[in-house]
């Protein structure tokens, strides 16, 4: 048989390449995480020149600042009538009513309040919008009385501060001149959503002299 002899020069070259390409310490096994088996670790990984980042590194978002609570447009002081459920309903609903006056927009009243109350207030809002009257907060409302009616409603007597009136920029005067505030009586009715303003009633007999307004 003919034998195939490997030239000595080729054999030496193969041995030299094997010695240069192998680490005698790794034994050909995977290196555990943490750099055991003589590897050197670094906190900053080296970039692979063959790979180009597809996008810039994401920056750390700034810490969001807490939002300041919105300032009250109106303060409703229940006084000695705070335990009355109808008065509690007025305290809760009045800010929405007042917002509609400030914004000169009756949308909230139409959506959230009984139709009688909406009808009583909507025309005044329309007049304010047409004439350019401006009601600037803050305002104050003080409850000075609460009486039940035979119909199961409760009339809540209030005094509104001067700043809950409309200002007429053309006449440079208040639409209601009331240095001591003005009376407003709201009849409250119990609904499936709680006590809500039912209608405006006469304020005859309500005296606002000497009332201290909180805002």
């Amino acid at each position: 048989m003919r034998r195939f002899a490997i030239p000595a020069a080729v054999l030496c070259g193969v041995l030299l390449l094997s010695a240069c390409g192998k680490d005698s310490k790794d034994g050909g096994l995977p290196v555990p995480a943490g750099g055991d088996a003589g590897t050197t670790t670094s906190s900053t990984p080296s970039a692979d020149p063959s790979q180009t980042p597809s996008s810039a590194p994401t920056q750390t978002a700034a810490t969001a600042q807490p939002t300041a609570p919105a300032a009250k447009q109106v303060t409703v002081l229940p006084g000695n009538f705070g335990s009355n459920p109808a008065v509690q309903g007025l305290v809760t609903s009045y800010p929405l009513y007042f917002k509609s006056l400030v914004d000169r927009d009756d949308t909230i009243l139409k959506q959230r309040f009984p139709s009688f109350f909406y009808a009583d207030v909507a025309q005044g809002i329309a007049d304010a919008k047409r004439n350019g009257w401006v009601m600037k907060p803050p305002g104050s409302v003080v409850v000075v009385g609460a009486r039940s009616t035979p119909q199961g409603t409760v009339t809540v007597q209030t005094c509104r501060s001067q700043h809950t009136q409309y200002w007429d920029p053309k006449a440079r005067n208040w639409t209601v001149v009331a240095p001591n505030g003005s009376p407003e009586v709201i009849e409250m009715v119990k609904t499936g959503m709680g006590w809500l303003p039912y209608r405006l009633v006469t304020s005859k007999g309500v005296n606002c002299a000497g009332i201290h307004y909180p805002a």
Side-chain angles (χ1 to χ4, degrees):
M1 294 179 63
R2 186 178 176 181
R3 297 181 178 179
F4 294 89
I6 299 176
V10 176
L11 182 59
C12 292
V14 172
L15 294 175
L16 289 173
L17 290 173
S18 299
C20 293
K22 181 179 181 182
D23 186 351
S24 61
K25 295 182 180 181
D26 63 15
L29 298 176
V31 179
D36 298 330
T39 58
T40 303
T41 59
S42 172
S43 59
T44 304
S46 58
D48 186 352
S50 65
Q51 298 180 355
T52 303
S54 59
S55 60
T58 304
Q59 296 181 352
T60 303
T63 303
Q65 297 297 326
T67 303
K72 286 185 177 181
Q73 287 189 326
V74 62
T75 298
V76 183
L77 189 67
N80 297 326
F81 305 93
S83 60
N84 189 305
V87 174
Q88 294 174 4
L90 179 68
V91 172
T92 302
S93 60
Y94 203 97
L96 290 178
Y97 165 42
F98 190 73
K99 177 176 172 56
S100 68
L101 300 180
V102 172
D103 295 344
R104 294 173 299 183
D105 185 353
D106 62 7
T107 303
I108 296 178
L109 298 178
K110 185 182 297 184
Q111 295 175 346
R112 303 282 298 272
F113 290 77
S115 58
F116 283 139
F117 187 75
Y118 164 75
D120 287 345
V121 179
Q123 186 57 51
I125 293 177
D127 292 342
K129 190 173 183 178
R130 181 178 62 254
N131 296 319
W133 298 339
V134 180
M135 183 181 287
K136 294 183 179 181
S140 298
V141 176
V142 178
V143 177
V144 295
R147 297 178 180 175
S148 299
T149 71
Q151 293 75 31
T153 62
V154 176
T155 56
V156 180
Q157 302 171 348
T158 69
C159 289
R160 296 170 40 158
S161 68
Q162 177 69 51
H163 293 287
T164 59
Q165 316 303 325
Y166 284 113
W167 172 262
D168 185 350
K170 296 178 182 178
R172 299 187 62 82
N173 202 352
W174 297 102
T175 57
V176 177
V177 181
N180 297 322
S182 59
E184 182 182 54
V185 180
I186 301 177
E187 187 175 355
M188 304 291 293
V189 64
K190 188 176 183 180
T191 70
M193 299 177 62
W195 286 88
L196 289 174
Y198 178 54
R199 59 184 177 179
L200 296 177
V201 295
T202 179
S203 59
K204 183 179 180 179
V206 180
N207 186 5
C208 293
I211 298 297
H212 174 70
Y213 299 100

